Amino acid sequence: MKEINRIAIIGGVRSFSGSIIWPFIGFALYRVYGFSLDTVSIFYLIQALINVIASIGGGIVVDYLGRRNAMMLSTVVSSLALFTAYLVNLPIPIAGLILLQTFFNNIYNVSSTAIVGDIYKRADLVKAFSRQRVGINAGWALGPLIGGYMFTFYGFRMLLLVSSLIAIIPIPLVRLLPEFKGAGSILNFNVNKEFALFLISTFLTFVLVGQLGFGLLTYYNAQLHFTEFQVSILFAINGIMIVAFQDLVGRLISKRIWLIVIGTLIYTFGYFGVAFITNFLVASIDIMIITIAEMIVTPLSQAIANSLSNQSSRGRQIGLYSMVTGIGRVSGSSLISELMNYYLYTPVILWGIMSSFGLVSAAIYLYQIKRIKTNSFQL
């Protein structure tokens, strides 16, 4: 079995486990456990802080322990955290254990991204990350659909149990992966100006990317009265499209890094369009537009990050990249949670504010793409 196929399968099982609960966490804290929207916003801010700590610390761990060992550690602890949350079933401990799972899940993301960069050359990175995303989104296509059904009929607690049990399944495959470690001082991140600027545009992009979860679920439920299961169908459309078309898209965009600008603009259009949705059919079309953007932006973003990093410090540099994407996602959820207090029923303002992050991000990408090519980062 090719290494990327093994990595894709591992990612698929893990994303299946995570996506059963991930889109519903903020909503469950709000509706099931009685947290206010302000408290949910604070929860996401704490999660953002944990992402910072986990990504920086995780990058060091991934270089020091090795990519495979870090994947093993994060898999086991993440599963135990969710299982303990199921046993305890109290609001504050559940929030705390989910935050612990966030910490170790971030370490896994760093190690799985770094190991692809270790195995594959720059010319193959976009294709490799596209294949990895096929696996990840196969899990994502099923997880929210099953999670939405179980949430509706069995409750959030059952989601915690099922997610924790599925999470440990890929351990035998993880053990078969090759091991790579970093070198040099573990505190030296080797960040140059190009990488730093890329992290800024990445953050802005992922503020928008993070709406595919709490933001859309809460808005559609409160404004258009979609059920949790209906929204999970939208998430499933996203996953199924990526499974079906990501490999093809990866081949088409593999040497056209400028398309990240177009992809980000499509994201902007797709999320601003949420403000004008009136029924489930139109919502389904809009999620297809958002998914097209995702298939373009995400593998290109991962490939550029790996191309701008060095093998000796890749774990630490990808840790920074993971930190920025994680903070972007969580900040997006926190921001829209706060904005919904004021603009939930004025959707043009709500989604206009959120989509503006995409416009600024696209402008920075446009400025940077030529400089990346000039510095010979050919993909």
Side-chain angles (χ1 to χ4, degrees):
M1 181 186 295
K2 289 183 179 180
E3 298 297 348
I4 191 58
N5 291 334
R6 186 175 286 121
I7 293 169
I9 292 172
I10 295 168
V13 177
R14 278 191 58 86
S15 69
F16 178 53
S17 167
S19 64
I20 285 176
I21 64 166
W22 181 79
F24 309 104
I25 290 171
F27 188 73
L29 293 176
Y30 172 52
R31 283 292 176 86
V32 178
Y33 296 104
F35 287 23
S36 67
L37 282 173
D38 286 335
T39 306
V40 172
S41 179
I42 292 171
F43 169 84
Y44 281 119
L45 288 174
I46 295 172
Q47 196 174 50
L49 176 61
I50 288 175
N51 275 327
V52 172
I53 298 170
S55 296
I56 295 175
I60 294 172
V61 168
V62 166
D63 275 341
Y64 181 73
L65 292 182
R67 322 313 189 209
R68 184 184 63 208
N69 289 336
M71 292 170 76
M72 286 286 293
L73 175 67
S74 62
T75 298
V76 172
V77 178
S78 294
S79 175
L80 287 174
L82 293 175
F83 186 70
T84 305
Y86 162 76
L87 293 177
V88 173
N89 197 36
L90 294 171
I92 299 299
I94 282 178
L97 287 163
I98 288 173
L99 292 174
L100 177 65
Q101 190 263 353
T102 296
F103 181 90
F104 282 94
N105 191 57
N106 209 296
I107 293 177
Y108 173 85
N109 292 336
V110 173
S111 55
S112 65
T113 301
I115 199 171
V116 175
D118 290 324
I119 295 173
Y120 293 93
K121 298 178 181 179
R122 284 178 181 153
D124 298 320
L125 278 176
V126 176
K127 294 177 184 177
F129 281 118
S130 292
R131 177 62 56 85
Q132 184 185 35
R133 284 181 52 72
V134 170
I136 290 172
N137 282 277
W140 175 253
L142 293 173
L145 192 63
I146 293 173
Y149 177 84
M150 293 183 66
F151 192 142
T152 302
F153 296 104
Y154 298 100
F156 184 72
R157 188 186 182 196
M158 185 59 66
L159 299 189
L160 293 169
L161 174 62
V162 172
S163 180
S164 70
L165 296 177
I166 294 173
I168 60 175
I169 292 174
I171 286 179
L173 284 178
V174 175
R175 291 173 59 88
L176 296 175
L177 294 174
E179 185 62 287
F180 297 91
K181 294 185 178 182
S185 171
I186 62 173
L187 298 179
N188 184 1
F189 286 79
N190 293 322
V191 176
N192 56 37
K193 291 182 180 179
E194 290 301 326
F195 194 77
L197 182 60
F198 176 69
L199 292 180
I200 293 173
S201 55
T202 297
F203 168 78
L204 296 171
T205 300
F206 277 81
V207 167
L208 201 53
V209 172
Q211 301 314 307
L212 191 65
F214 175 77
L216 286 183
L217 172 59
T218 305
Y219 175 78
Y220 281 143
N221 182 266
Q223 178 73 294
L224 299 180
H225 307 295
F226 291 178
T227 67
E228 295 90 343
F229 183 62
Q230 282 179 301
V231 179
S232 71
I233 292 174
L234 298 178
F235 295 157
I237 290 171
N238 169 265
I240 291 169
M241 281 185 65
I242 292 174
V243 171
F245 302 114
Q246 183 68 79
D247 258 348
L248 173 61
V249 172
R251 290 194 294 271
L252 293 174
I253 68 176
S254 63
K255 296 184 180 180
R256 299 177 175 89
I257 59 172
W258 57 269
L259 284 173
I260 196 170
V261 178
I262 303 302
T264 306
L265 290 175
I266 296 172
Y267 256 138
T268 302
F269 173 78
Y271 276 110
F272 185 61
V274 173
F276 304 97
I277 290 171
T278 57
N279 58 63
F280 186 75
L281 176 61
V282 180
S284 300
I285 295 171
D286 189 69
I287 203 71
M288 292 178 186
I289 295 171
I290 291 170
T291 303
I292 291 170
E294 181 179 345
M295 288 191 289
I296 296 170
V297 171
T298 304
L300 285 174
S301 178
Q302 291 174 309
I304 293 171
N306 271 275
S307 290
L308 292 172
S309 66
N310 303 310
Q311 198 282 329
S312 62
S313 56
R314 179 164 288 130
R316 282 156 281 173
Q317 290 179 294
I318 295 303
L320 291 175
Y321 172 76
S322 178
M323 175 193 74
V324 169
T325 61
I327 292 176
R329 289 179 188 272
V330 173
S331 297
S333 295
S334 179
L335 177 60
I336 199 162
S337 176
E338 187 64 26
L339 290 173
M340 281 181 181
N341 282 315
Y342 308 100
Y343 304 118
L344 179 60
Y345 298 104
T346 51
V348 173
I349 296 176
L350 178 67
W351 293 105
I353 292 172
M354 297 311 303
S355 61
S356 67
F357 285 88
L359 285 176
V360 178
S361 179
I364 298 175
Y365 284 138
L366 184 62
Y367 166 78
Q368 193 177 22
I369 289 303
K370 188 175 181 180
R371 294 170 64 88
I372 292 174
K373 288 184 177 182
T374 300
N375 288 314
S376 300
F377 290 107
Q378 299 297 327
L379 302 179

